[in-house]
Structure formats: structure tokens, C-alpha cells
Amino acid sequence: MSAAIENSPSPATVAPSRTYSRWTSLAVLCAGTLMTILDGNIVTVAMPAIQSDLGFSGPGLAWVVNAYLIAFGGLLLLVGRMGDLVGRKRMFTSGLAVFTAASVLCGTATGQGVLIAARALQGVGGAMASAVVLGMLVALFPEPREQARAIAVFSAVGAAGGALGTFLGGALTQALNWHWIFLINLPIGAVAWLTAVRVLTPERGVGLGKGADYPGAGLVTGALMLTVYVIVGAGTRSVTTTLLLAALTLALFTAFTVRQARAARPLLRLRLFRSRLLTGANAVQVLMIGTMYGFQFIGALYLQRVLGYGELATGTAFLPAPVAIGLLMLGLSARTVARFGGHRVLLAGLVLITAGTALLGRAPADGSYPVDVLPPLLLLSAGFAAAMPALTGLAMSGARDEDAGLASGLFNTTQVVGGSLGLAALTTLAANRTDTLLHQGAELIPATAEGYRLAFRVATGFAVAALALAAVVLRPSADSPVTPR
């Protein structure tokens, strides 16, 4: 990252009573991140059960996912900056505590409003825990090759966790009930918190006196929430209402930009975006994650509502994804990036992602898992395993220690924004297409399958756009390093 927060001293590190290896600290960071990522995806397979039990409408059900994603994404910049101010370990452990408590509230919810509110609180805790992780990782591993290996491990855990969440969601829902997809976080969160408190090196941070832009956080959070609301409900409102809401969204984003340009201590320094790699990597991530998150959600619905799979069978069908992602990231990613450069590896991964979504765009109503789902699943997994570590390295390249929390928060923000917008857009398109066909007299399963095919074809467009953007904007200059930083 080419710019940093001026005159901000590096966070002071307090000597711990016992020294742990950097790799032990990395394992703790990965464990905490894994829990938050799992819960971002674990609800996917359980959605029909939650809908049936609590009586959600179709658009309302999407907010079980979106309440988490929007609270998470809207707060990442703020808590990333506050992690630099109060100390990243303090922010990480506090986030684990909030997330675990909110999980208990989710697991005991008996009404729609309580569940959505608790999911939003989960998003707050998840943001606190996740926003500072990449900054801590970069500080732990400043040497380029070690950093590439650490990023590969971290990315493997995150990517595999997303797919593993689908399996666990199916297993817990079918074996027990949907409440347990949240209650399982209580013992996991408690162990993760206790271990983090003991193992991670404490930091004093630069001090709250440096300030954080709370009005700016309010503006960007409101803008993100309204963006998803506009997309999710576009098919149920008049064109005039949709345009007015879209204009309000644009106004909020504009106000946020003006605020950041004028604030004494902005949440996000706009000149950070002068960095071509920073801006390009985050833009590519929005498109790529939108594609992948849409695939996970709609792919699970395709297996359940078109092919007739149960929760456990659906979760098991996704299990090859975390296995493939983990093996490829841990075994090949760091060495491949070191040999060929992050840009080339990223392009190769995006080509595979594009091919996988294109195949899913042909999935028929009478399809089968081995022929129509497994091959694109493996292509998407291999592509993501190649692309994500390379993209992470590009986004974090050049970040100074005092700015690492902000860089980490920004990267995580665009990841969640991409997932939330991709999910909202693709599910809305699929639902509208299915409803149109049903009104025309089509049968339920063929109409549902056609809605999902449309969503997959649009996701292919996202992947193509990400590939084109990465090819042009992230092309290395003559003096660019091959490895991160």
C-alpha cells in the first residue's frame, strides 16, 4: 500500500510473560477467523428449515444472511482503525467475545426479529475479530517468502472454512436442528478466546487520542445497508421507488467521500486509493467474492430445491471444496506465487472460476451431481485456491505497520461487500425469473432451475469482469516484486 497514516507511531508491543512462536500465533488467528467465516456460510443449508420454523418470507429470509454481512462489512473500516488505536490483540479478543455471545442469542431465538438482530450483533463481533487479522499477520511475518506462506495458510483456512460451513450446517440441521448451527460456537468461541488471550502478543496501540471517524462509519454503514436493501427488494417495488432509494444510496456514499476528504482524522484516507494495486485488488475482490458467495448460496439451493437433496446430503456434496482448496493453497499457492508472480497466478485462478460458473449456467432441471455440479465445484475450488492468496498479497503489498489495520479492514470490507451484493443481486434475479415463469404456467422445478441458471450466467459475467480488470489494472510494472511486499 503506497500511502499510510502520517505521524502515527508503530503500535508498541508489550513483552509477554511467555514467548510463543509466530506460527502458533498464526494458528490462533486462523482459528478465530475460521469461526466467523463458518458462521457466515453455515446458515446456507439451514435456510429452508429456518424459513419453515420461523415463517420467513422469501425476501425476509435473505436478511438472515444480509444482517450479518452488512453489520460485518459496514464496521470493518472503523474497527480496523480502532484496532490500530487500542491494540489489535484487544480488538481481536473483544470481537471473539461479542461474536460468541451473539451466537448464543441466535441459537435461542424464537422469532424473526430476534434472529435478525442477533445475526447483526454477530456481524459486529465478526468485524472486530476479523478486521485486524491481516494487519497482525503482516506484522508477524515481514519477510516476503514467509509472509507468502503465512498468507497461503490463512487464505486456505478462510476459503475452506466457507465451504466447510455448508457441510456443518447440513449435518447439524439434520442431526439436531438449525439452532445448533449457532450454539456450537459457544464452546469453540470460549476455547478460541482463552487461547488468544494467552498466546497473542499484546500491543498498546497508538492511543485513542488519535481518534476515529464515527460519523464516517455511520455514513458508510448506512450506505452499504441501503444498497443491499435496494437490490433485494427491487422486484417488489415500483421503478420510481427503486430509483429514489438508489439516489439516496449514492448520496450517502458521496457524503462519506466528502467527509473523508475533510475530516481531521478520517476513517479512510482517500489518497490510499492512489495505489493502483490497492484499488485494483479490492475492486477485483468485490467481483470475485460476489461470484463465489453467490455460487455457495445458489448452488446449495439448486441441490435442495431442484435435485431434491436433504440438508446433510447437500453439505456432503460441498465437502470436496474445502479439501481441494486446503490442499492446493497449502501445497502450491505460496511456491506458485513466488515462482510465477501474484498477477499470473491470479489470472489463472480467475480463468478457472469463470469456467466453473459457465458450466453451472447449463445445469438442467433433471441434472445430476457427478455430471452437473461436481466438475464446476472443483474448477471453482481450484480457481479460488489460486486467486485468493495472490490477491491478498497484492492488496497488502507495501502496507506499513501503523497502517496495517486499516489495510486489513479495507480488504475485509470489500470482501464482505462483494459477498453481500453478489448474494443480493443473484438471489433476486433467480427469484424474479422463477416467479415470471411460474406466472406463465411453467412447472415449479423447471422454473426454479431456470432461475438458478440465470443467476449462474450473471455470476459468469462477474468473473469475466474480474478477469479483465485484473489483467489490465494489476499488471506488474517493470520494477514490481514477484512476491508480496
Side-chain angles (χ1 to χ4, degrees):
M1 187 176 300
S2 60
I5 298 174
E6 295 91 350
N7 303 320
S8 294
S10 299
T13 299
V14 181
S17 58
R18 179 179 176 184
T19 301
Y20 292 86
S21 75
R22 293 175 299 163
W23 295 99
T24 302
S25 297
L26 175 63
V28 173
L29 295 176
C30 287
T33 302
L34 177 63
M35 186 174 69
T36 61
I37 290 176
L38 280 174
D39 230 67
N41 294 273
I42 202 170
V43 299
T44 302
V45 181
M47 294 290 266
I50 294 174
Q51 184 175 23
S52 175
D53 191 15
L54 299 185
F56 277 101
S57 64
L61 184 64
W63 282 99
V64 176
V65 176
N66 288 328
Y68 178 87
L69 289 176
I70 296 305
F72 190 102
L75 291 172
L76 279 167
L77 288 176
L78 175 63
V79 296
R81 173 59 177 150
M82 290 193 68
D84 293 333
L85 300 178
V86 304
R88 296 172 197 146
K89 175 182 177 178
R90 184 178 298 173
M91 183 60 66
F92 180 76
T93 53
S94 298
L96 288 180
V98 172
F99 184 89
T100 303
S103 296
V104 176
L105 292 177
C106 288
T108 56
T110 57
Q112 297 180 16
V114 174
L115 179 59
I116 292 175
R119 286 285 286 164
L121 185 60
Q122 267 194 318
V124 174
M128 294 170 66
S130 301
V132 295
V133 170
L134 281 177
M136 297 173 77
L137 186 152
V138 169
L140 281 169
F141 299 93
E143 195 275 322
R145 292 188 179 275
E146 276 198 338
Q147 187 181 113
R149 287 196 294 271
I151 287 176
V153 171
F154 177 77
S155 299
V157 169
L164 186 59
T166 307
F167 169 74
L168 291 176
L172 290 170
T173 301
Q174 187 159 318
L176 299 168
N177 57 58
W178 66 264
H179 296 274
W180 283 95
I181 67 176
F182 301 113
L183 294 175
I184 193 67
N185 288 329
L186 178 57
I188 297 173
V191 172
W193 184 85
L194 289 170
T195 307
V197 168
R198 182 173 179 82
V199 169
L200 296 180
T201 302
E203 298 171 334
R204 294 192 184 95
V206 298
L208 280 174
K210 295 294 181 179
D213 184 21
Y214 301 106
L219 287 170
V220 73
T221 301
L224 290 170
M225 292 182 69
L226 190 56
T227 298
V228 176
Y229 179 72
V230 170
I231 294 174
V232 169
T236 62
R237 304 189 197 97
S238 67
V239 174
T240 301
T241 302
T242 299
L243 289 176
L244 287 174
L245 289 173
L248 178 58
T249 303
L250 181 61
L252 287 173
F253 276 119
T254 302
F256 172 72
T257 303
V258 172
R259 168 74 188 178
Q260 299 314 289
R262 298 179 177 179
R265 297 185 179 93
L267 182 65
L268 178 63
R269 291 191 180 276
L270 297 181
R271 59 173 164 263
L272 291 178
F273 293 102
R274 294 175 184 171
S275 167
R276 176 176 56 87
L277 288 180
L278 170 70
T279 303
N282 279 280
V284 168
Q285 180 170 232
V286 169
L287 294 165
M288 185 180 78
I289 297 298
T291 301
M292 295 299 299
Y293 210 96
F295 154 69
Q296 286 187 347
F297 189 83
I298 295 175
L301 293 178
Y302 173 78
L303 288 172
Q304 289 180 288
R305 295 179 175 175
V306 176
L307 301 189
Y309 279 40
E311 291 92 349
L312 181 57
T314 300
T316 304
F318 273 85
L319 203 52
V323 174
I325 289 171
L327 290 176
L328 290 172
M329 279 190 176
L330 295 177
L332 297 176
S333 288
R335 285 180 292 179
T336 305
V337 170
R339 180 173 179 181
F340 297 104
H343 183 248
R344 292 177 180 175
V345 175
L346 173 62
L347 294 183
L350 289 172
V351 168
L352 293 176
I353 290 173
T354 302
T357 53
L359 286 177
L360 285 168
R362 301 169 58 250
D366 58 349
S368 67
Y369 173 77
V371 175
D372 300 299
V373 179
L374 183 59
L377 175 69
L378 294 176
L379 283 172
L380 285 158
S381 301
F384 194 70
M388 194 61 195
L391 190 62
T392 304
L394 290 170
M396 294 299 292
S397 60
R400 300 177 186 176
D401 181 65
E402 68 269 19
D403 207 26
L406 180 59
S408 174
L410 177 62
F411 191 71
N412 279 293
T413 297
T414 57
Q415 188 174 111
V416 176
V417 167
S420 182
L421 296 183
L423 174 64
L426 296 178
T427 53
T428 299
L429 285 170
N432 289 344
R433 179 58 176 163
T434 297
D435 289 343
T436 299
L437 293 174
L438 289 175
H439 290 152
Q440 294 173 355
E443 295 182 2
L444 177 60
I445 291 181
T448 303
E450 175 56 30
Y452 295 153
R453 281 196 296 271
L454 174 61
F456 287 133
R457 289 193 289 268
V458 173
T460 303
F462 291 168
V464 170
L467 177 60
L469 187 63
V472 175
V473 177
L474 298 182
R475 179 180 298 173
S477 57
D479 58 346
S480 294
V482 194
T483 52
R485 287 170 64 102

